[in-house]
């Protein structure tokens, strides 16, 4: 009875994985990020998605990055953000990983349905971001909500 009651009232979270992908060729002080425009978001966002059952977060981040952009990054080449998990108000926990690729020689491939467009943006001139993306990047000192 106690276990059942605890399951009913305990908060539930959906766990996802996010990749902050930087341009490894950007000049010093000219950091660039890969952002996505998706039909269901109210602004540009990061490559992200939900983890599969028993999937390691870094593997999920690499998988979602590839599925949404066509960019393949080995999970061993991804660095966990610090903090690694960001809790959003809507009951979503994002595990965050950083990686970099050379933008000039890395082709981007989007499906036109889930992701409408993928583009590189200078951190100093980011477009309108979705609320979750602005919050997440701000936690790492990036973008309009940088702390």
């Amino acid at each position: 009875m106690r276990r059942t009651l605890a399951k009913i009232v305990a908060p539930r979270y959906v766990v996802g994985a996010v990749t902050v992908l930087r341009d490894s060729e950007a000049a010093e002080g000219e950091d660039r990020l890969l952002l996505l425009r998706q039909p269901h978001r109210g602004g540009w966002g990061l490559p992200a998605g939900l983890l599969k059952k028993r999937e390691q977060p870094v593997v999920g981040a690499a998988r979602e990055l590839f599925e949404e952009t066509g960019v393949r990054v080995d999970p061993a080449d991804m660095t966990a953000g610090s903090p690694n998990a960001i809790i959003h108000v809507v009951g979503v926990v994002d595990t965050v990983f950083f990686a970099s690729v050379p933008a000039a020689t890395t082709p981007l491939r989007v499906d036109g349905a889930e992701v409408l467009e993928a583009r590189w943006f200078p951190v100093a001139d980011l477009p309108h971001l979705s609320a979750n993306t602005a919050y997440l990047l701000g936690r790492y000192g990036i973008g309009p909500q940088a702390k």
Side-chain angles (χ1 to χ4, degrees), residues 37-67:
R37 190 170 59 86
Q38 296 175 288
H40 64 279
R41 290 210 175 129
W44 289 79
L46 296 164
L50 299 178
L51 294 178
K52 294 181 178 179
K53 191 174 184 176
R54 295 188 180 92
E55 183 176 41
Q56 293 296 314
V58 69
V59 173
R63 175 184 53 76
E64 286 291 339
L65 175 65
F66 177 70
E67 288 175 1

Side-chain angles (χ1 to χ4, degrees), residues 124-144:
D125 190 26
L126 294 175
H128 173 71
L129 302 172
S130 71
N132 281 353
T133 299
Y135 174 74
L136 186 145
L137 288 174
R139 293 293 307 268
Y140 297 100
I142 302 168

Side-chain angles (χ1 to χ4, degrees), residues 16-38:
V18 179
T19 302
V20 179
L21 192 64
R22 289 186 155 122
D23 177 3
S24 62
E25 297 175 323
E28 178 106 12
E30 294 182 18
D31 199 10
R32 293 187 343 143
L33 300 179
L34 180 67
L35 296 174
L36 310 179
R37 190 170 59 86
Q38 296 175 288

Side-chain angles (χ1 to χ4, degrees), residues 5 8 11 15 29 34 46 52-53 67 78 82 88-89 91 101 103 107 122 126:
L5 183 58
I8 292 171
V15 181
L34 180 67
L46 296 164
K52 294 181 178 179
K53 191 174 184 176
E67 288 175 1
M78 300 178 97
S82 180
H88 298 279
V89 203
V101 296
L126 294 175

